[in-house]
Amino acid sequence: MSARKRTLLKVIILGDSGVGKTSLMNQYVNKKFTAQYKATIGADFLTKEVQVEDRLVTMQIWDTAGQERFQSLGVAFYRGADCCVLVYDVNVMKSFDNLENWRAEFLIQASPQDPENFPFVVLGNKVDVDGGNSRVVSEKKAKQWCTAHGNIPYFETSAKEDYNVDAAFQCIAKNALKNETEEEIYLPDTIDVTQNRPTKSSACEC
Amino acid sequence: MQQPAQEVMSTAEEQEKWLADAVALVQHNAFFMHRALDANNLRDALKYSAQMLSELRTSKLSPQKYYELYMRTFDELRMLEVFFKEESKRGRTNADLYELVQHAGNILPRLYLLCTVGSVYIKSKEAPAKDVLKDLVEMSRGVQHPIRGLFLRSYLSQISRDKLPDVGSEFEGEGGNVMDAVEFVLQNFTEMNKLWVRMQHQGPAREKEKREKERSELRELVGKNLHVLSQLEGVDLEMYKEVVLPRVLEQVVNCKDELAQYYLMDCIIQVFPDDFHLQTLETLLAACPQLQSTVDIKTVMSQLMERLSNYAASSPEVLPEFLQVEAFTKLSNAVVKVIEAQPDMPLVGAVSLHVALLTFILRVHIDRLDYVDQVLGGCVKKLEGKGKVKDNKATKQLVALLTAPLEKYNDVVTMLKLANYSKVMAHLDYETNKVMATVIIQSIMKNGTYITTADKVDALFELLRELIKDGEGLPAEEVDEEDFKEEQNLVARLVHMLVNPDPDEMFKILTTARKHFRQGGPRRLEYTLAPLVFSASKLVRSLQGREASEDSPVSLEKIFQFLHKTVEDLSMVPAPELALRLYLQCAEAASDCNMEPVAYEFFTQAFVIYEEEIADSKAQVTAIHLIIGTLQRTQVFGVENRDTLTHKATGYSAKLLKKPDQCRAVFACSHLFWVDDEGGVKDGERVLLCLKRALRIANAAQQMSSATRGSNGPITLFVEILNKYLYYYEKGNPQVTSNVIQGLLELIQTEMQSENTVQDPGVDAFFASTIRYIQYQKLKTDEVGERYAAIQT
Ligand SMILES: Nc1nc2c(ncn2[C@@H]2O[C@H](COP(=O)(O)OP(=O)(O)OP(=O)(O)O)[C@@H](O)[C@H]2O)c(=O)[nH]1
Ligand SMILES: [Mg+2]
């Protein structure tokens, strides 16, 4: 199973509404960008085949809703993530401040085995806006935050101009692959399934 | 499909346990599924995966727990998917596989497996995407249990997400076209919404609340379809307008479910782009009044307007689009219709709709004051007959409604053009109204907004009436004194902003302001009238020396009458000290205008107040010095008037309560007879009389204090008088001779050495510096020096 598992990397993109999570994913996967805002509802994923060093893996990229009211079912899909991408908008201070919350929330909900070393990647998006004149979070400040949180790799991106998007996702894939957490190994009591099966849960015929 | 009560009523603990049990079974079956996959054993792989999927048939789990279980199986199904792909590489056709999985015994596992194969099937392009999708979405009808059905369809939506025959997709063409993609998603959406809505009717009534909570958690599964639609490349404006929006709205309106309607409207607004909304406003808005009357439509519409407002603010290039579609008219009509359609809508709802509309105008049609007034008018209509609004939340919204244009235009004068502005304000309760009035004045001060006509003053004071007079809504309890003071000071400061360089209009402004102020009662007049007097005095100054023209309605006489009346009002408050001060100021102004009788009249009034109203001895001292000072500066009087007034002034001076006060006032009066300016009075004799009188009083004081001992006040008085003598001596008053001065010097020295006198370093120093001054003057070589030569120190 591990061989099959290892070809599939699960990546979660988090961040405030409007920072460009969907745009980054669409740019990376479909090479498309639209200037119009269309809110994301629930969690949605796209897959992309990617070559990491000598291996071909499938990246399952989960884009999430930044608006809380559009994420009503909880975050069960965090489970089994190999990498978490935190996105903020370099022109909106609040979106940077909130990285702290997104990261903490992820660690609580996904409860990875080794939270200290779980791979995150931070993206400071929309660096193109107004030729960089309206930015309020400096690269230095962002990098400091990343360093302080366990040397998180940091990328400045523009989904609009397709700047640094590939590089960022390449790094994301690499780090996801490095995340050597073992899937919780399940060992059945016995190999004889017909005899020793746990009792079946009740259900109606539908 | 009713569940036994105990199964649904479960504690969090039970939920955890049920989930753990189910997960254990999923893991168990997954283990064997993996083994089968590793062994390339398709039959077993299907068997175990079906068993694993059977766990999703549970009815016990809450939506969130079910979602956790679903995600477990979801991850496992990805392995199966990879296997299916490999299987087809090994020569098994997807059609085969598709057939094969249909043998799974239970419908739910069967459909999950079908979707999983279907995904591979479409990917392989061995069958047109549209056919497989259609098949899957049709077959999913087989599951009618709401939670199970919703998750199954959500799975279908998820695995098909990148396989829709959208424009530009690899599946377009043989796989179908964007219309097929849209049909597929719409159908899935419609079915999901039905399942979701139906859920509320299932189970016992007493669990309604819990069910609503569960439904609310499930909402993202339904809304997600709209997100998918919005992401389709082929859904352009045309397609959205003709197909997507009408179909979605049809479902929204027809489902008649409050939760669904509110949520889906919210989704539509957020999920589709701005220009789509702008171009389909009519359709979208037409749905609003058709929603259930309990739907929180004001929030929905406010969000739409907010979104459009932001869009308008994002770039000036989009503004023509707003005009072209007449966005405002449409929104405004919709607000009216919605309010009509929901007669039970709480007031706060109606008002916030107007706030949203106003915000929209201020961003999109900043130049359309008529629109602003129209919205305010709409609100007034809604408030008709309601009197003062008592609901706190509605009040807050009303304040927002009034503040928004004020902050946008930064110009109260613009607000005054809005006929409905004051009408809305009239519905605020007393306290809030005052706060709003304060905000208005602060805006005037901050922005330096001048109010330049009497009409505007009228309108403004109408707005500010709660500050300017006691309204009907006056609360029974006493208003806080500090607050009152602060408010009235603010009103007083406002007077300086009421200006017009044209004297006629300025005079009208003043009379208008006074008309309003006079309704404020004595407590307010104390604050408000004084600035009017200052302002009118300023007007006097501006007219001073100007030829009075025949046809000009304003004349100095009129302004002085105005002043007279105003100060008289003030004296009746009563505020005698202030009134006296202002009378004197008026007198001086009249004097500067060469209007002797007027100046005389003002002085007379000042004296009347002094005589009748000022009883406190300290206040008297201050007042008399003011009178002396003003009289000294007033040059207009002829001998007769002057004599009368100075006589009174000296008389009152000598009658002050305390000797030292008498003494000082009397020697101050000496200046009334000696005005240094060219042509000023120079009556040396009467100067001397004053000084002598002062000396006599000082002497009397000296005797009194010797009797009481230990007071050195009088010696200071002597030194002060000495200084006056020196002043007149220097100015060449012939009555003041070196002999008199010499005598005074000696008198002081004797007094200072007298054993009855307590040493006072202050007085000593004062005297010493006076002596030094004399010595210094003696050194001079001019005529001053000559005069001083006669004095020995
Ligand atoms: N100029 C610029 N605009 C961007 C960039 N990335 C995204 N945007 C715009 O920002 C807006 C929001 O982008 P989304 O990708 O929808 O944001 P999101 O994070 O997915 O938002 P939610 O789905 O609400 O969580 C859209 O109008 C995008 O066109 C960028 O790099 N540069
Ligand atoms: Mg998004």
Side-chain angles (χ1 to χ4, degrees):
Chain A
M1 111 123 212
S2 63
R4 203 169 279 113
K5 155 82 184 159
R6 298 238 46 86
T7 62
L8 189 74
L9 299 177
K10 183 168 179 179
V11 173
I12 315 277
I13 310 181
L14 301 179
D16 281 6
S17 175
V19 296
K21 300 179 294 296
T22 305
S23 303
L24 285 162
M25 181 176 78
N26 275 337
Q27 181 59 267
Y28 178 60
V29 178
N30 299 323
K31 292 280 160 238
K32 276 180 199 154
F33 175 82
T34 157
Q36 295 148 329
Y37 172 62
K38 306 171 186 175
T40 302
I41 294 189
D44 183 27
F45 76 85
L46 289 179
T47 54
K48 173 143 172 132
E49 308 263 297
V50 35
Q51 185 81 34
V52 185
E53 279 143 23
D54 55 342
R55 296 170 67 175
L56 189 68
V57 294
T58 303
M59 223 188 326
Q60 193 182 69
I61 307 167
W62 287 77
D63 176 28
T64 58
Q67 299 196 49
E68 213 178 334
R69 67 180 191 282
F70 290 142
Q71 197 88 73
S72 57
L73 257 184
V75 290
F77 61 90
Y78 285 3
R79 201 188 144 273
D82 297 298
C83 180
C84 176
V85 183
L86 302 173
V87 187
Y88 75 96
D89 178 344
V90 296
N91 309 290
V92 181
M93 184 54 78
K94 188 102 199 3
S95 72
F96 176 73
D97 294 339
N98 275 340
L99 290 186
E100 196 74 51
N101 300 335
W102 286 112
R103 179 178 172 275
E105 166 82 1
F106 176 82
L107 288 175
I108 292 170
Q109 300 291 345
S111 46
Q113 286 167 348
D114 183 6
E116 295 292 302
N117 295 308
F118 184 86
F120 285 93
V121 173
V122 170
L123 308 185
N125 191 37
K126 303 202 194 181
V127 291
D128 63 282
V129 173
D130 199 13
N133 286 323
S134 61
R135 86 179 272 166
V136 291
V137 184
S138 68
E139 184 170 0
K140 187 165 158 237
K141 184 170 177 170
K143 280 187 167 161
Q144 271 170 1
W145 188 88
C146 290
T147 311
H149 289 79
N151 284 319
I152 301 179
Y154 175 70
F155 289 86
E156 304 239 308
T157 59
S158 163
K160 183 177 175 193
E161 320 239 284
D162 196 10
Y163 168 73
N164 237 356
V165 178
D166 271 347
F169 275 95
Q170 194 63 39
C171 171
I172 291 162
K174 220 174 84 192
N175 281 280
L177 200 58
K178 266 199 302 211
N179 181 36
E180 298 282 5
T181 55
E182 293 292 311
E183 244 307 84
E184 23 187 318
I185 302 288
Y186 176 81
L187 286 174
D189 310 340
T190 164
I191 300 299
D192 185 357
V193 280
T194 43
Q195 312 274 296
N196 264 8
R197 291 204 52 213
T199 44
K200 226 177 147 331
S201 51
S202 74
C204 67
E205 296 298 318
C206 51
Chain B
M1 197 132 322
Q2 299 236 334
Q3 299 304 317
Q6 77 270 17
E7 272 194 36
V8 195
M9 300 280 277
S10 57
T11 63
E13 252 168 64
E14 277 174 312
Q15 285 283 315
E16 286 298 342
K17 186 179 173 301
W18 288 330
L19 176 62
D21 288 350
V23 165
L25 286 163
V26 165
Q27 285 179 323
H28 178 94
N29 287 303
F31 176 86
F32 290 104
M33 180 188 88
H34 291 149
R35 281 225 320 206
L37 295 182
D38 292 343
N40 278 336
N41 183 339
L42 176 63
R43 212 181 60 94
D44 278 3
L46 291 180
K47 175 177 145 200
Y48 289 112
S49 55
Q51 280 177 15
M52 170 183 82
L53 288 163
S54 284
E55 292 311 312
L56 289 175
R57 295 169 64 223
T58 177
S59 305
K60 289 174 166 177
L61 296 177
S62 72
Q64 294 205 349
K65 294 291 167 205
Y66 191 93
Y67 187 34
E68 286 185 37
L69 188 65
Y70 166 88
M71 277 313 303
R72 295 270 181 166
T73 55
F74 181 89
D75 288 343
E76 298 301 344
L77 289 175
R78 301 284 63 72
M79 311 295 153
L80 194 62
E81 190 177 13
V82 174
F83 177 77
F84 286 154
K85 253 183 238 164
E86 289 162 357
E87 196 66 359
S88 59
K89 275 184 212 145
R90 282 191 287 270
R92 194 183 290 273
T93 66
N94 282 297
D96 246 13
L97 277 171
Y98 202 70
E99 270 306 307
L100 203 58
V101 295
Q102 309 230 13
H103 295 297
N106 270 305
I107 184 164
L108 192 69
R110 184 160 76 237
L111 286 170
Y112 271 99
L113 289 174
L114 260 178
C115 289
T116 312
V117 177
S119 157
V120 180
Y121 200 5
I122 297 172
K123 194 94 191 157
S124 74
K125 299 188 184 151
E126 286 170 24
K130 64 170 183 184
D131 294 345
V132 181
L133 292 173
K134 198 165 171 12
D135 198 33
L136 290 172
V137 80
E138 289 287 344
M139 278 198 284
S140 297
R141 282 182 202 275
V143 179
Q144 287 295 317
H145 180 276
I147 296 190
R148 273 172 257 165
L150 281 168
F151 275 95
L152 170 68
R153 287 182 178 276
S154 167
Y155 182 70
L156 173 58
S157 156
Q158 220 147 19
I159 57 102
S160 61
R161 172 77 165 82
D162 55 356
K163 300 176 185 74
L164 303 174
D166 186 16
V167 169
S169 138
E170 55 175 306
F171 305 101
E172 197 194 9
E174 295 216 346
N177 59 26
V178 64
M179 213 36 234
D180 298 308
V182 168
E183 274 304 331
F184 166 75
V185 182
L186 276 175
Q187 195 180 341
N188 208 29
F189 162 72
T190 308
E191 293 301 324
M192 283 175 89
N193 193 43
K194 283 181 183 160
L195 288 171
W196 186 45
V197 169
R198 194 185 314 137
M199 203 180 148
Q200 68 177 313
H201 305 300
Q202 295 180 347
R206 66 195 142 83
E207 285 176 9
K208 190 165 182 327
E209 205 173 302
K210 180 179 172 235
R211 236 174 4 249
E212 287 297 286
K213 182 175 169 280
E214 294 196 347
R215 284 192 65 212
S216 178
E217 287 171 358
L218 288 165
R219 65 182 192 252
E220 75 166 72
L221 298 181
V222 186
K224 175 80 163 299
N225 292 293
L226 300 179
H227 165 75
V228 173
L229 283 170
S230 81
Q231 294 288 323
L232 287 175
E233 193 74 15
V235 175
D236 53 10
L237 178 60
E238 186 69 14
M239 171 87 69
Y240 177 73
K241 199 173 182 168
E242 301 302 328
V243 182
V244 175
L245 184 63
R247 292 273 298 276
V248 171
L249 284 178
E250 184 193 326
Q251 180 59 31
V252 171
V253 169
N254 289 342
C255 78
K256 297 204 186 318
D257 177 71
E258 182 187 340
L259 177 61
Q261 290 187 331
Y262 175 74
Y263 174 67
L264 292 173
M265 288 302 279
D266 186 16
C267 285
I268 293 171
I269 291 165
Q270 294 302 321
V271 145
F272 293 104
D274 301 304
D275 56 332
F276 281 22
H277 294 317
L278 209 48
Q279 297 297 335
T280 55
L281 255 188
E282 224 155 351
T283 318
L284 186 58
L285 290 170
C288 291
Q290 299 180 57
L291 304 180
Q292 300 302 103
S293 65
T294 45
V295 171
D296 179 9
I297 193 69
K298 69 130 203 302
T299 306
V300 170
M301 286 185 64
S302 301
Q303 266 157 358
L304 174 65
M305 287 188 259
E306 159 120 21
R307 190 167 176 172
L308 292 177
S309 304
N310 287 336
Y311 180 49
S314 72
S315 148
E317 284 151 39
V318 303
L319 286 179
E321 207 183 332
F322 282 80
L323 301 182
Q324 180 226 320
V325 304
E326 294 177 11
F328 170 71
T329 313
K330 286 176 185 164
L331 288 167
S332 160
N333 289 342
V335 166
V336 172
K337 280 213 186 91
V338 161
I339 291 178
E340 272 170 16
Q342 298 200 350
D344 295 336
M345 184 192 292
L347 188 58
V348 56
V351 181
S352 29
L353 271 174
H354 286 92
V355 172
L357 200 53
L358 189 66
T359 314
F360 177 83
I361 299 168
L362 295 178
R363 298 245 194 111
V364 186
H365 301 287
I366 180 75
D367 53 334
R368 295 300 297 262
L369 271 185
D370 54 332
Y371 285 179
V372 175
D373 204 35
Q374 189 182 324
V375 173
L376 293 173
C379 204
V380 169
K381 212 170 145 208
K382 179 75 198 171
L383 290 166
E384 218 159 55
K386 293 214 160 54
K388 303 269 178 202
V389 172
K390 293 190 187 65
D391 171 31
N392 242 334
K393 284 186 190 151
T395 301
K396 259 201 190 131
Q397 289 300 314
L398 282 177
V399 170
L401 192 69
L402 293 167
T403 318
L406 194 57
E407 282 177 355
K408 187 72 188 188
Y409 295 107
N410 274 327
D411 180 10
V412 171
V413 172
T414 306
M415 299 304 100
L416 299 178
K417 292 183 196 145
L418 303 168
N420 288 302
Y421 196 88
S422 70
K423 291 185 192 159
V424 173
M425 205 164 145
H427 285 282
L428 293 176
D429 62 272
Y430 176 71
E431 276 305 322
T432 316
N433 197 316
K434 271 204 318 193
V435 172
M436 195 60 223
T438 310
V439 169
I440 291 176
I441 301 182
Q442 280 162 346
S443 159
I444 293 177
M445 306 311 277
K446 194 182 88 207
N447 297 303
T449 313
Y450 290 109
I451 315 296
T452 54
T453 68
D455 288 346
K456 286 179 193 165
V457 171
D458 234 349
L460 175 65
F461 282 15
E462 203 45 51
L463 276 188
L464 305 178
R465 60 182 169 269
E466 300 284 20
L467 287 185
I468 287 173
K469 59 184 180 199
D470 293 338
E472 313 95 64
L474 191 68
E477 72 264 31
E478 267 295 296
V479 185
D480 182 73
E481 197 54 46
E482 282 293 304
D483 289 352
F484 181 79
K485 224 169 123 178
E486 206 170 294
E487 281 160 23
Q488 295 308 313
N489 276 325
L490 198 60
V491 175
R493 275 167 51 208
L494 175 64
V495 174
H496 304 299
M497 305 307 287
L498 316 178
V499 285
N500 190 312
D502 170 43
D504 293 345
E505 191 59 41
M506 186 62 210
F507 189 60
K508 270 197 227 154
I509 287 178
L510 289 172
T511 34
T512 308
R514 190 177 66 186
K515 181 187 80 196
H516 285 273
F517 284 156
R518 287 176 82 174
Q519 297 168 6
R523 258 159 49 90
R524 286 188 182 81
L525 290 180
E526 196 177 338
Y527 295 89
T528 51
L529 289 187
L532 271 188
V533 171
F534 292 127
S535 192
S537 306
K538 247 196 214 160
L539 181 59
V540 167
R541 303 273 173 213
S542 73
L543 283 180
Q544 197 180 318
R546 210 188 277 185
E547 284 295 312
S549 71
E550 280 296 308
D551 46 282
S552 172
V554 62
S555 62
L556 283 171
E557 281 77 11
K558 275 196 181 160
I559 305 172
F560 279 116
Q561 273 166 23
F562 174 89
L563 281 166
H564 194 289
K565 187 84 198 66
T566 309
V567 184
E568 188 176 65
D569 284 346
L570 194 55
S571 71
M572 263 142 40
V573 164
E577 288 159 43
L578 182 57
L580 181 133
R581 196 181 284 265
L582 293 175
Y583 272 137
L584 291 174
Q585 200 186 311
C586 294
E588 210 174 338
S591 157
D592 292 347
C593 296
N594 247 326
M595 298 170 77
E596 181 176 3
V598 179
Y600 187 79
E601 169 63 15
F602 280 123
F603 263 108
T604 310
Q605 292 302 328
F607 277 120
V608 169
I609 290 187
Y610 182 84
E611 285 154 24
E612 294 177 359
E613 314 268 351
I614 299 187
D616 175 65
S617 66
K618 265 201 197 127
Q620 283 178 343
V621 173
T622 315
I624 205 73
H625 279 281
L626 265 174
I627 291 174
I628 297 167
T630 313
L631 196 49
Q632 187 199 346
R633 287 192 300 273
T634 310
Q635 308 298 326
V636 76
F637 295 121
V639 180
E640 202 176 320
N641 281 341
R642 191 171 179 82
D643 272 357
T644 319
L645 295 174
T646 48
H647 183 76
K648 272 194 177 175
T650 29
Y652 287 127
S653 297
K655 274 189 222 134
L656 287 170
L657 185 66
K658 294 187 183 146
K659 291 275 180 225
D661 290 336
Q662 284 176 11
C663 175
R664 288 188 176 106
V666 168
F667 70 62
C669 281
S670 68
H671 288 289
L672 297 176
F673 306 105
W674 190 279
V675 176
D676 226 24
D677 302 344
E678 225 180 81
V681 205
K682 293 201 171 53
D683 187 341
E685 209 155 321
R686 290 175 77 174
V687 167
L688 192 64
L689 278 175
C690 285
L691 297 183
K692 278 187 174 161
R693 196 167 180 184
L695 261 180
R696 271 204 308 280
I697 300 171
N699 262 322
Q702 168 72 350
Q703 254 134 50
M704 270 168 68
S705 81
S706 304
T708 51
R709 274 194 162 225
S711 158
N712 52 27
I715 297 189
T716 322
L717 290 176
F718 286 127
V719 184
E720 285 171 31
I721 296 170
L722 170 64
N723 274 282
K724 282 286 160 205
Y725 269 97
L726 289 173
Y727 171 82
Y728 290 111
Y729 184 62
E730 227 168 84
K731 295 290 178 192
N733 182 339
Q735 307 296 321
V736 179
T737 62
S738 58
N739 279 347
V740 184
I741 294 177
Q742 202 69 55
L744 191 52
L745 273 171
E746 277 154 26
L747 171 84
I748 295 172
Q749 273 156 347
T750 326
E751 282 299 334
M752 286 179 90
Q753 275 143 29
S754 151
E755 52 190 50
N756 283 343
T757 306
V758 180
Q759 289 291 315
D760 180 337
V763 179
D764 290 353
F766 184 24
F767 184 57
S769 82
T770 309
I771 297 290
R772 264 202 312 282
Y773 175 77
I774 296 171
Q775 286 163 345
Y776 176 73
Q777 296 296 72
K778 281 163 82 77
L779 293 177
K780 288 191 175 164
T781 51
D782 56 7
E783 56 186 287
V784 175
E786 265 169 48
R787 284 183 77 82
Y788 271 90
I791 300 171
Q792 309 297 315
T793 52

